[in-house]
Amino acid sequence: MASANWPEKKTWSYLRDRIDRVDGPVKATGAARYSYDVNRPGMLYAKVLYSQHASAKINGIDLSGAKSMKGVKATWRDEDLIGSEVQYAGQMLAAVAAVTEELAQEAVKQIKVDYEVKKPQVIDDDPEYADDRASRREEGNLEEALKGAEVVSEGEYGLPVVTHCCMESHGQVAEVKDGELHLWPSTQNVSRYADQMGEQVGIPGNKTHVNTQYMGGGFGSKFSHDKWGIVGAILAKQSGRPVKLMLDRDMELMAAGNRPSAYSKVKVGVKKDGTITAMDEEVWGTGGPANYRPPPFPYVFTGVENWRQVGRRIRTNRGGQRAWRAPNHPQGCLITMAAIDDAAAALGMDALDFFRHNTQLTERPDVYREELDVAADMIGYRQKAHPRGDKTPGPVKRGLGISMHQWGGLGHPSECDLTIHPDGSVECKIGTQDLGTGTRTVINIVVAETLGLALEDIEVKIGKSAYPQSGASGGSTTVGGVSASSRLAATSALNALLDVVASELGVSANELEARYGHIRVKGDPTKAVSWKEACSMLGPSPINKKGVNDRAESREKGLIDGGVGGVQMADVSVDTETGIVTINEMVGVQDCGLVIDLKTAESQVYGAMIMGITYSLFEEAVYDRTTGSMLNADMEFYRLAGLQDVGDLRVHMMGGEKYAKRGVIGLGEPPVISPGAAISNAVANACGVRVPYLPLTPERVTDALEKGGMSV
Amino acid sequence: MKPFEYAAPNTLEEAIGLLGEKWGEAEVLAGGTDLVTALKQGIMEPDRLVSLKNLTSLQQVELREGTLHIGAMAPLAAVSENSTAQEHFPSLVQAIEGIGSRQIIVHGTVGGDLCQRPRCWYFRSGYGLFGQHDGESLVLNGDNRFHAIFGNEGPAYFVHPSSLGPALIALDATLIAVGPKGKERTIGAGDFFKTPQNEDERETVLRPDEVVTEIRVPLHGLKNATYEVRHRQGFDWPYVTATVAFQERGGTASDGRVVLGHVAPVPWHSEKASQSLNGQALNEPTAKECGQAAIVGAKPLSGNRYKVQLTKTAVKRAVLSAAGIEQEA
């Protein structure tokens, strides 16, 4: 019998190899159809009217102007909002479906809204605007620890609201045919996207079908069908025609989710040897009208004995927050890592020595130490390091920065249905989705590895709600979930096949293995039948087996695990005459247990580092305080890094028995957590002053230099 | 976007005849890199677009009698790749390369660069050219990090987005504009831009029924350079630009010109900085002093004080670059 446990390294055919993503060619050539690309016969285009005002009572929404236009086939307005208030500019009020996109846009303009405008509140960085009730968490005796510290450093640190800025906006194509609802949404949650839509659309769940083959990014913002999903389906039902409703970029940035801000004042107390003994934080920020949860503190260094966190929420008339790749960790990471880096500088201790010394206060001291050493080697830390403030002449200063992060990443519940057909072909169905991360490729590798076949021998089918349920892709849970379920399903199917072959060959199934396209007797490759021949022994009935990832069981077996650490270091230049920060080099060292595909894993880390550089240097949602409107709801002033801005990036995935034996652990989130802190620390190391808030733009850098008496 | 009539006439005369008497009736379509965005944003809603794409004679770039004649419809790339421009007008070439987007450099035109509308985010969000709400300036009360530090007495606080304007002014360029009945006007580049005083005006002295046909840049033997302070290396707007030009004899400057971009509602000719160069030895202290002179009279708004520092630096670096002096990194 084949075991579902991961094979020993010496027998790996594909695991931890550099495999190209299997859907790379169709994506690169444009043959892959994203939700945005789905066009159905007779399809209508829907456009949304959103609130121009950030705070207003809606007295009425008059659709008559739109309805009377030729070519307008269906309209909708939010009945619940009439007589009630909008919370932010960009909030959906009404929608129109028409025969062309232009006509729909024109029709939306004909909708008349009776607003009773109120004064908005969009300021999120001033604690004066915070709720009176603060959250409070503490441990140990902070006051005493601060008193007893060798050095107490104080600083301010923060990050503004940034959006998810998915390249494909939110939305879907919806079609009602023979009383059944077909949806092609851009979603991170194929299996459960349509849950609870039935009641609102008037079509039961057993007549609803979701199909998402390719989607252009979610980052935590695409779990729900959202109101526009319901409305798109209603318009399709009303008109009897397929309806495409994708958000325009402005509404995407205003309404489709964002990462909450966090601003803080922090005190850190350290002993002479560098041990962190006390951390005190006041933190505030906004999630728009939504809840606000203060970021984790102390971050990673959870063994700090004395600490306190006082958190305050600022309610704003901005779009509501959503999970943003590693929710709350980038904020927690920047605040803790920058604060302790300042403490190291105040103590006069080298940052690497300081971080390394304090790994004793983390949950994985060995992993972090090992990663710090690898990262330091990769970036040439010991050769380049200097105390805070580059003293070389000239306006351009260079510096290094360090950060550490953590994440869970235990695989989610996932079911896989695997069929071995008598003709030898194999199909694997999972109701999961590939957000661009390589999920399809990973499943393909696991099944091919398990059955001893080539990648192209396996047909991987994902992205449909008709397939066995698999969790939403969030929290870095997908790779663990699908690799466990597909491994279990493939092993179970293989064992059924081995039983058949064993009796044909007159050996015990335990003596057989599937390798190199053959079923053969272990240790005697001459006694073998080809895969095709083996499958022909099945007669007319295919083998069909299910694999179910039970998280606890899979963890026990060593198939999957949760809990990882990572280290990043940045080498930056700061032009002190202009405040321009340039990334010279950045290294990411990451643990994610057993790596299935080294190439897509590394790509995840590269992508995360680029996203991290973007929020460190460029990104922020800018609001006008008078009108409450978002001033940069476009791709011109909502600025993202381009390839020329990211410098030389290098990635190292931790490997070896120690890591591999833990099984598969998720990777989507962790590497996006550290860039803010690593870059902020590098800038402080370069120019000698801390720039309190991200993004590190010329205005913030020159201001900090001036306040620090370092301006030129 | 509002439906409009589209015309692509074959003669200049026809094109001018299709323009309106008031701004906003008809718009000239050149490369379209700004206009099409403005149409989509709904901040320009003309009844008619008059495309100049068939007027191929306006696309020529040629050197005649000591002057580089640049057709207004010449793509920006035709200038940055022109050998005369590369040899004599590095400031112009650097300004074009600074645009950062190959697509815009290839598709955008020289005339379009000069006539494009401001990027002010209040204007682009539909609050009008001056960004007002209930009679008050949203710019003054709001986020003005990218707005003017010179010439900002109001009601205009935006910065002119032209990349070429400052260089053309520094290089003594003249513009040819043609109106009804073939009436031709020669306008000095420095006189072309103006700060509008009401929402119905535009940012240049062009009349609604005139078309810029040509830009003439004389070979005056000026040393020149443009320096941009920009953050993102791909397509992005600079925070501040400075073009510097001067005559150089024996290491000494005369006839200095310093023109700043992205600091005022027009390309900003800094008299003080220009004069500070005259008679001075070209070296780091002179460059620094020139930068210092350039910021005299700057009046930053609530959120753009940093642009003063950036202006000082841009001017200093442009002087050094024009003089061929390597800067300390």
Side-chain angles (χ1 to χ4, degrees):
Chain A
M1 295 288 281
S3 159
N5 294 344
W6 296 113
E8 282 178 52
K9 191 180 175 191
K10 59 179 189 219
T11 70
W12 289 355
S13 300
Y14 296 108
L15 295 179
R16 211 175 202 272
D17 201 353
R18 279 199 169 77
I19 312 281
D20 290 343
R21 63 183 66 221
V22 293
D23 45 11
V26 288
K27 286 185 168 178
T29 56
R33 289 207 307 168
Y34 289 72
S35 299
Y36 221 120
D37 300 324
V38 171
N39 290 310
R40 304 288 303 162
M43 190 177 76
L44 303 175
Y45 296 85
K47 287 287 172 189
V48 172
L49 176 73
Y50 62 75
S51 175
Q52 297 294 326
H53 301 284
S55 177
K57 188 175 166 214
I58 305 296
N59 289 326
I61 301 171
D62 179 3
L63 296 171
S64 57
K67 276 184 174 163
S68 66
M69 285 172 73
K70 198 168 170 263
V72 170
K73 301 293 182 190
T75 56
W76 173 89
R77 66 177 180 180
D78 192 338
E79 301 290 347
D80 296 341
L81 255 185
I82 297 171
S84 161
E85 286 185 17
V86 289
Q87 306 288 315
Y88 59 93
Q91 192 171 337
M92 184 170 182
L93 301 177
V96 167
V99 292
T100 68
E101 202 173 346
E102 293 75 14
L103 191 65
Q105 195 74 67
E106 276 311 302
V108 157
K109 283 191 193 159
Q110 303 309 316
I111 300 172
K112 296 213 165 34
V113 182
D114 180 3
Y115 293 101
E116 197 176 308
V117 180
K118 308 197 165 187
K119 193 172 160 36
Q121 199 308 90
V122 293
I123 295 166
D124 75 321
D125 56 356
D126 183 348
E128 291 290 307
Y129 290 86
D131 293 352
D132 293 334
R133 230 186 60 212
S135 68
R136 218 184 156 84
R137 299 189 308 130
E138 57 194 313
E139 248 179 58
N141 189 334
L142 181 72
E143 298 308 324
E144 210 155 284
L146 284 170
K147 258 187 241 156
E150 172 78 13
V151 166
V152 175
S153 81
E154 287 182 50
E156 292 183 25
Y157 315 94
L159 311 76
V161 170
V162 300
T163 75
H164 299 71
C165 212
C166 309
M167 283 299 106
E168 180 180 49
S169 62
H170 285 63
Q172 66 181 21
V173 173
E175 180 174 352
V176 180
K177 206 173 172 186
D178 305 326
E180 310 228 332
L181 175 62
H182 301 264
L183 299 162
W184 291 265
S186 185
T187 182
Q188 297 177 241
N189 195 3
V190 164
S191 285
R192 310 201 60 179
Y193 176 82
D195 282 9
Q196 293 149 20
M197 275 181 90
E199 216 167 294
Q200 297 180 69
V201 181
I203 294 173
N206 61 2
K207 292 187 181 346
T208 304
H209 314 275
V210 175
N211 185 353
T212 303
Q213 291 306 306
Y214 301 96
M215 59 90 73
F219 309 108
S221 68
K222 290 180 180 167
F223 294 126
S224 155
H225 46 64
D226 283 306
K227 185 163 270 177
W228 46 78
I230 302 276
V231 172
I234 288 174
L235 293 172
K237 197 179 163 204
Q238 215 184 91
S239 63
R241 289 169 69 167
V243 169
K244 181 184 280 189
L245 189 161
M246 302 296 295
L247 298 188
D248 284 338
R249 181 57 58 184
D250 54 355
M251 185 167 160
E252 174 75 15
L253 293 185
M254 289 188 274
N258 58 62
R259 184 180 81 183
S261 55
Y263 304 95
S264 65
K265 280 187 183 160
V266 182
K267 273 188 212 163
V268 180
V270 291
K271 287 203 295 202
K272 205 166 193 172
D273 68 352
T275 308
I276 306 165
T277 54
M279 291 187 75
D280 186 16
E281 182 196 40
E282 272 179 74
V283 62
W284 59 95
T286 195
N291 290 336
Y292 185 74
R293 194 162 49 92
F297 181 85
Y299 187 63
V300 173
F301 298 97
T302 46
V304 172
E305 282 179 2
N306 310 286
W307 60 270
R308 175 174 62 185
Q309 180 187 54
V310 177
R312 285 195 174 79
R313 170 203 189 211
I314 298 182
R315 195 192 172 285
T316 53
N317 293 108
R318 297 167 167 226
Q321 62 120 334
R322 292 183 180 192
W324 190 101
R325 202 173 184 176
N328 254 342
H329 281 233
Q331 297 95 314
C333 184
L334 173 84
I335 293 170
T336 289
M337 300 299 154
I340 69 164
D341 185 63
D342 282 353
L347 189 66
M349 189 165 169
D350 171 78
L352 178 57
D353 293 340
F354 183 87
F355 276 83
R356 218 176 173 286
H357 176 74
N358 281 296
T359 52
Q360 53 174 318
L361 302 175
T362 71
E363 284 169 27
R364 317 176 184 278
D366 294 349
V367 171
Y368 284 123
R369 262 177 239 143
E370 211 175 319
E371 289 179 336
L372 282 165
D373 293 343
V374 172
D377 270 352
M378 285 169 77
I379 208 160
Y381 185 93
R382 295 291 179 198
Q383 297 78 39
K384 293 181 190 167
H386 58 70
R388 185 165 281 194
D390 176 1
K391 301 290 188 287
T392 57
V396 178
K397 306 298 185 190
R398 200 160 169 167
L400 291 173
I402 302 171
S403 176
M404 292 159 54
H405 57 261
Q406 64 181 40
W407 192 252
L410 179 68
H412 55 210
S414 170
E415 297 182 11
C416 170
D417 181 299
L418 193 125
T419 306
I420 300 173
H421 291 276
D423 65 359
S425 64
V426 176
E427 70 179 309
C428 170
K429 295 177 188 163
I430 309 183
T432 187
Q433 51 280 320
D434 191 333
L435 313 192
T437 51
T439 304
R440 216 179 236 109
T441 308
V442 161
I443 297 168
N444 201 337
I445 289 172
V446 169
V447 175
E449 181 82 42
T450 306
L451 302 181
L453 294 174
L455 291 173
E456 51 275 19
D457 294 335
I458 319 294
E459 183 74 21
V460 176
K461 296 181 170 174
I462 62 168
K464 287 189 178 174
S465 57
Y467 299 151
Q469 283 221 9
S470 199
S473 289
S476 305
T477 57
T478 307
V479 70
V482 301
S483 54
S485 67
S486 58
R487 174 75 179 169
L488 289 165
T491 306
S492 163
L494 175 64
N495 282 330
L497 179 64
L498 295 185
D499 279 341
V500 174
V501 176
S503 65
E504 289 277 333
L505 293 185
V507 294
S508 145
N510 283 330
E511 292 173 60
L512 296 174
E513 63 177 1
R515 304 274 289 156
Y516 309 113
H518 287 77
I519 305 293
R520 63 185 200 185
V521 174
K522 287 178 197 167
D524 184 4
T526 59
K527 283 192 188 158
V529 291
S530 75
W531 176 265
K532 218 173 157 79
E533 216 178 312
C535 294
S536 71
M537 297 170 185
L538 292 175
S541 311
I543 296 170
N544 178 263
K545 294 288 177 185
K546 210 163 193 186
V548 177
N549 179 34
D550 176 293
R551 310 173 86 175
E553 230 171 78
S554 295
R555 195 171 198 174
E556 187 119 324
K557 277 187 191 150
L559 277 180
I560 60 172
D561 204 354
V564 294
V567 165
Q568 294 188 5
M569 294 190 189
D571 170 348
V572 307
S573 288
V574 182
D575 186 333
T576 53
E577 289 182 340
T578 61
I580 301 285
V581 175
T582 311
I583 309 292
N584 301 316
E585 209 179 318
M586 220 171 136
V587 298
V589 178
Q590 188 60 49
D591 150 32
C592 69
L594 171 68
V595 176
I596 306 259
D597 179 4
L598 193 53
K599 190 169 189 176
T600 50
E602 287 169 346
S603 292
Q604 274 277 41
V605 183
Y606 283 119
M609 285 164 74
I610 291 169
M611 197 169 186
I613 289 169
T614 288
Y615 76 67
S616 302
L617 298 187
F618 302 113
E619 258 185 297
E620 67 185 300
V622 181
Y623 280 80
D624 177 55
R625 60 168 66 194
T626 310
T627 61
S629 60
M630 185 175 172
L631 293 172
N632 59 345
D634 54 43
M635 298 300 285
E636 179 175 350
F637 289 110
Y638 191 89
R639 305 193 299 173
L640 304 180
L643 276 183
Q644 294 154 292
D645 300 309
V646 301
D648 180 16
L649 305 180
R650 277 176 298 133
V651 172
H652 178 81
M653 302 303 300
M654 297 304 283
E657 180 58 20
K658 185 168 109 189
Y659 294 92
K661 75 171 187 209
R662 296 186 62 200
V664 178
I665 313 176
L667 176 66
E669 254 103 348
V672 87
I673 298 168
S674 265
I679 293 168
S680 179
N681 288 345
V683 168
N685 181 245
C687 64
V689 295
R690 170 69 55 185
V691 184
Y693 296 167
L694 302 183
L696 300 162
T697 53
E699 54 268 39
R700 292 197 179 88
V701 175
T702 52
D703 188 52
L705 286 166
E706 199 180 308
K707 284 184 182 145
M710 310 287 285
S711 62
V712 282
Chain B
M1 110 176 44
K2 201 185 97 176
F4 52 83
E5 183 185 305
Y6 173 83
N10 291 315
T11 68
L12 183 61
E13 197 184 349
E14 223 183 316
I16 290 163
L18 288 165
L19 295 177
E21 286 175 9
K22 271 198 231 136
W23 286 118
E25 291 177 2
E27 298 291 346
V28 170
L29 175 65
T33 58
D34 176 29
L35 180 58
V36 174
T37 315
L39 294 173
K40 282 187 174 175
Q41 289 169 329
I43 58 165
M44 289 170 80
E45 298 195 311
D47 300 321
R48 179 186 291 157
L49 288 196
V50 182
S51 169
L52 305 185
K53 68 172 184 181
N54 293 333
L55 308 183
T56 48
S57 64
L58 300 189
Q59 294 168 15
Q60 307 298 317
V61 179
E62 56 179 350
L63 182 64
R64 284 201 312 268
E65 293 158 13
T67 295
L68 189 66
H69 294 251
I70 303 168
M73 283 294 286
L76 295 162
V79 178
S80 61
E81 288 160 16
N82 178 279
S83 58
T84 305
Q86 286 174 352
E87 190 184 342
H88 298 280
F89 310 132
S91 59
L92 205 51
V93 174
Q94 288 154 355
I96 292 170
E97 285 169 352
I99 291 167
S101 153
R102 187 66 194 159
Q103 287 89 336
I104 290 185
I105 292 172
V106 167
H107 210 75
T109 66
V110 175
D113 174 83
L114 300 172
C115 297
Q116 65 182 310
R117 309 299 311 275
R119 308 308 305 184
C120 165
W121 47 24
Y122 289 99
F123 175 45
R124 297 280 166 173
S125 299
Y127 294 106
L129 184 55
F130 299 146
Q132 291 180 343
H133 181 70
D134 293 339
E136 298 230 353
S137 168
L138 291 172
V139 181
L140 289 184
N141 298 326
D143 198 310
N144 46 43
R145 70 183 77 179
F146 299 131
H147 286 78
I149 57 169
F150 289 105
N152 54 4
E153 293 76 26
Y157 300 101
F158 59 79
V159 296
H160 201 282
S162 170
S163 298
L164 304 190
L168 292 175
I169 294 170
L171 294 169
D172 292 331
T174 50
L175 280 68
I176 310 300
V178 180
K181 296 176 192 158
K183 194 166 168 249
E184 201 175 286
R185 284 205 288 159
T186 303
I187 308 166
D191 300 323
F192 181 70
F193 301 96
K194 70 159 198 214
T195 304
Q197 296 303 316
N198 65 64
E199 290 272 349
D200 300 329
E201 290 180 10
R202 287 277 166 103
E203 305 82 35
T204 70
V205 300
L206 271 191
R207 291 194 270 267
D209 54 3
E210 278 181 322
V211 171
V212 179
T213 56
E214 193 177 296
I215 295 91
R216 295 176 185 164
V217 197
L219 271 62
H220 283 171
L222 294 158
K223 296 252 168 153
N224 61 93
T226 295
Y227 187 89
E228 286 195 357
V229 181
R230 61 165 47 245
H231 198 187
R232 204 166 57 166
Q233 292 308 304
F235 170 58
D236 201 0
W237 300 99
Y239 290 91
V240 163
T241 75
T243 300
V244 168
F246 48 78
Q247 297 288 354
E248 189 217 332
R249 255 179 226 98
T252 299
S254 61
D255 198 9
R257 305 101 192 277
V258 176
V259 188
L260 310 172
H262 291 263
V263 298
V266 294
W268 191 254
H269 186 184
S270 173
E271 289 289 343
K272 280 209 165 67
S274 303
Q275 283 162 17
S276 82
L277 288 172
N278 296 337
Q280 299 299 313
L282 286 161
N283 54 28
E284 182 115 17
T286 299
K288 224 171 166 174
E289 233 159 81
C290 185
Q292 202 64 48
I295 60 171
V296 173
K299 281 182 291 179
L301 307 174
S302 56
N304 65 7
R305 208 162 51 86
Y306 73 101
K307 287 180 85 168
V308 176
Q309 165 69 25
L310 269 50
T311 302
K312 193 167 81 175
T313 304
V315 169
K316 179 183 88 171
R317 293 182 182 181
V319 172
L320 293 173
S321 168
I325 299 171
E326 194 133 336
Q327 303 164 54
E328 225 180 346

